[in-house]
């Protein structure tokens, strides 16, 4: 099995230490950091996302795979940065105002990062305006809003409106998700996209960021 295949295998099993060691070994052997990312880490994380979507694996497996992804990408990050290879898109992600749930949001952050985009996680109970400010500050093209409560999911509309008030409609896309959220609600509030799970969320973030 090639080093790249070993990286993928170990990432899918969530073996963070082994992934880190293999990534380092590949670098020492002269493999380009971008190749390790694109052929070792990203496809494996993508496979985990697909399995999660198909209910073949569950939240714990995704979390440990994401931890292994992080261990590998942290070794690559300084090398990629030095080579001027920027993440392909930036996404601000937070849980809507009034809502303290963060497990789904964190999962989404990991999957989006796993898809090769930069994530700016602005936490829970986030004021609508703060989403917009974070997007402007970080020059992010996508805002992701998570909601778990029917009582406060209405604050998602305020995020769409805050983007509009800043004249950023079309430039900064808003995607929404979370257990009570639906495509119909997305259409109703004029958000740019809805994803039912974190894996689809990562795909949608890439699409909205104009990546691939
Ligand atoms: Co809360 N809670 N909770 N809770 N809680 C729910 C959501 C609830 C359905 C339980 C129930 O009554 N059956 C209910 C909401 C009812 C409703 O409004 N429809 C509820 C309630 C009522 C409450 C409180 C009001 C309870 C109280 O105090 N009386 C309170 C509210 C606090 C607040 O937020 N202001 C509360 C508190 C809590 C805890 C703090 C105890 C804890 C949160 C811990 C934490 O997040 N750190 C908690 C938990 C754990 C839950 C349940 C049990 C699990 C939620 C979860 O993490 N699921 C939940 C019941 C349930 O779902 N079975 C419940 C796992 C997670 C991976 O799924 O977040 O759906 P989820 O994310 C999915 C998708 O939705 C999607 O991707 C993920 C996976 O692929 N997704 C996105 C999520 N965000 C996305 C964004 C995207 C795209 C996809 O794009 C931007």
């Amino acid at each position: 099995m090639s080093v790249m295949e070993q990286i993928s295998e170990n990432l899918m099993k969530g073996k963070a230490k082994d992934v880190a060691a293999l990534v380092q070994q590949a670098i020492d052997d002269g493999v380009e950091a971008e190749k390790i990312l694109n052929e070792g880490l990203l496809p494996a994380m993508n496979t985990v996302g697909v399995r999660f979507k198909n209910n073949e694996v569950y939240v714990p497996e995704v979390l440990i795979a994401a931890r292994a992804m992080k261990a590998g990408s942290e070794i690559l990050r300084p090398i990629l940065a030095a080579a001027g290879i920027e993440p392909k898109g930036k996404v601000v992600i937070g849980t809507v105002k009034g809502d303290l749930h963060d497990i789904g949001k964190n999962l989404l952050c990991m999957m989006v990062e796993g898809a090769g985009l930069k994530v700016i996680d602005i936490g829970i109970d986030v004021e609508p305006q703060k989403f917009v400010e974070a997007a402007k500050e970080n020059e992010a093209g996508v805002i992701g809003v998570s909601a778990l409560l029917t009582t406060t999911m209405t604050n998602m509309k305020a995020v769409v409106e805050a983007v509009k008030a800043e004249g950023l409609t079309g430039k900064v896309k808003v995607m929404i998700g979370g257990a009570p959220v639906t495509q119909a609600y997305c259409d109703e509030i004029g958000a740019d996209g809805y994803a039912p799970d974190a894996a689809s969320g990562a795909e949608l973030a890439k699409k909205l960021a104009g990546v691939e």
Side-chain angles (χ1 to χ4, degrees), residues 128-159:
Q129 192 57 33
K130 202 177 158 199
F131 281 98
V132 183
E133 277 159 20
K136 278 166 68 180
E137 207 173 291
N138 295 284
E139 296 177 334
V142 183
I143 288 174
V145 193
S146 177
L148 266 285
L149 299 171
T150 43
T151 45
T152 54
M153 66 187 259
T154 45
N155 290 328
M156 288 177 145
K157 190 176 178 196
V159 178

Side-chain angles (χ1 to χ4, degrees), residues 4-125:
M4 224 58 82
E5 285 164 341
Q6 288 181 54
I7 289 173
S8 293
E9 278 292 313
N10 282 282
L11 190 151
M12 288 187 282
K13 288 181 189 154
K15 295 190 170 173
K17 274 189 192 158
D18 293 339
V19 170
L22 286 159
V23 167
Q24 190 59 54
Q25 186 190 318
I27 292 167
D28 295 345
D29 289 349
V31 183
E32 280 181 12
E34 204 177 358
K35 187 177 158 92
I36 301 170
L37 181 68
N38 291 332
E39 293 177 25
L41 298 174
L42 288 177
M45 197 61 217
N46 188 40
T47 303
V48 174
V50 172
R51 288 182 185 163
F52 178 57
K53 202 154 73 176
N54 296 338
N55 293 320
E56 289 160 19
V57 297
Y58 299 98
V59 174
E61 286 95 330
V62 180
L63 293 177
I64 58 163
R67 195 184 56 187
M69 171 83 198
K70 201 171 170 196
S73 50
E74 262 164 15
I75 295 173
L76 297 179
R77 192 171 294 157
I79 303 169
L80 293 170
I85 298 161
E86 288 280 315
K88 290 174 187 146
K90 294 181 196 167
V91 188
V92 166
I93 299 177
T95 301
V96 79
K97 183 173 162 48
D99 192 332
L100 307 176
H101 295 86
D102 71 354
I103 299 168
K105 186 264 297 169
N106 293 344
L107 211 48
L108 177 72
C109 288
M110 290 172 181
M111 298 301 284
V112 173
E113 211 165 59
L117 285 85
K118 180 174 163 67
V119 169
I120 301 108
D121 180 355
I122 55 171
I124 52 173
D125 189 17

